[in-house]
Amino acid sequence: MKSDVISVSSKGTGINEAFDQAEAVAAFSKLTKKEALQIRLLTEEMMGMLQGMTGETEAEFWIEADGKNFRLNLTTNTVMSSEKRRALLSNTSSGKNVHAKGFMGKLRDIVERMLEPYDNSMSSAYAGGWSSDPSVMTGTAGTAMWSYNTYRDSLNDISADNKKEAWDELEKSIVGSLSDDVQIGIKGDKVQMIIFKSFK
């Protein structure tokens, strides 16, 4: 089952309709109150990430359900150039994306980097999460794919101080604690983010 596709934007357009879809999917799937709340919270986090993106971004949101297995999808066209990103960030005092803090801030930063032409800075960002097999998410050959599970597993290979900070971010994140995986990848001219959630 696939929900309606909702047009949403970083300016807030369609956000309430996305929440309505999350609730409709939960009702259709006969989720418990607690399960329905988790789908709603994951939707809120996804919409919050979109609203925090640099510049104006338009996207499409929908949910796919197969029994009690859910995929929350957000796709946007790769319209931001490296030059546009640099121009937007030049307005900050540090010249950096100050919102790329915490787990959801990092996810937003990854999506924004994928909106640009590929360069080495994208592959090195949160390096532990990149997969050598982008077809895992896209189903066809892609150019890049980042996975929360791959990133989490890679934390064993970093220094103790950095590991503690990264684990603290994951534990404080609703998405990090509730989702089964988060994947962000490129398919054609679109950047796609998928949050996976299954209930037993």
Side-chain angles (χ1 to χ4, degrees):
M1 171 265 182
K2 179 179 176 179
S3 75
D4 292 341
V5 177
I6 307 298
S7 295
V8 293
S9 80
S10 56
K11 299 299 183 185
T13 305
I15 301 295
N16 289 332
E17 288 83 355
F19 296 154
D20 291 342
Q21 280 302 300
E23 292 171 4
V25 168
F28 178 84
S29 302
K30 297 182 171 54
L31 296 184
T32 66
K33 194 171 185 179
K34 180 179 178 181
E35 291 168 344
L37 177 60
Q38 290 182 23
I39 293 296
R40 166 74 186 222
L41 288 172
L42 290 171
T43 302
E44 288 179 2
E45 288 291 292
M46 189 175 260
M47 293 302 108
M49 185 211 70
L50 173 67
Q51 289 184 285
M53 290 181 68
T54 307
E56 185 169 357
T57 304
E58 295 182 353
E60 292 183 337
F61 169 81
W62 72 92
I63 301 175
E64 297 168 14
D66 180 10
K68 287 205 166 186
N69 302 307
F70 298 86
R71 291 166 46 122
L72 287 72
N73 297 266
L74 187 71
T75 65
T76 185
N77 289 323
T78 53
V79 293
M80 180 173 287
S81 66
S82 297
E83 291 76 19
K84 180 178 178 184
R85 178 184 171 88
R86 278 194 292 271
L88 288 165
L89 293 180
S90 69
N91 293 322
T92 67
S93 57
S94 65
K96 297 179 180 179
N97 187 348
V98 296
H99 298 295
K101 295 179 180 178
F103 181 62
M104 289 308 292
K106 288 181 177 178
L107 289 185
R108 182 172 56 245
D109 191 53
I110 290 168
V111 171
E112 289 184 341
R113 286 170 184 263
M114 284 186 165
L115 292 175
E116 305 169 7
Y118 180 85
D119 60 30
N120 289 332
S121 71
M122 185 172 73
S123 62
S124 63
Y126 321 113
W130 293 98
S131 169
S132 59
D133 181 13
S135 65
V136 170
M137 186 191 79
T138 63
T140 59
T143 57
M145 198 275 282
W146 184 93
S147 165
Y148 160 71
N149 284 344
T150 305
Y151 172 71
R152 184 188 59 202
D153 293 345
S154 75
L155 296 182
N156 294 323
D157 301 327
I158 64 176
S159 69
D161 288 344
N162 290 337
K163 181 189 289 189
K164 183 181 185 311
E165 179 182 350
W167 275 111
D168 285 348
E169 288 176 348
L170 294 182
E171 288 171 358
K172 291 174 183 176
S173 165
I174 290 173
V175 170
S177 61
L178 291 183
S179 70
D180 297 319
D181 195 10
V182 180
Q183 294 178 2
I184 305 171
I186 297 173
K187 184 175 183 180
D189 63 348
K190 289 187 178 293
V191 173
Q192 182 175 20
M193 176 180 182
I194 305 174
I195 296 178
F196 297 80
K197 178 64 182 177
S198 295
F199 299 102
K200 308 235 176 178

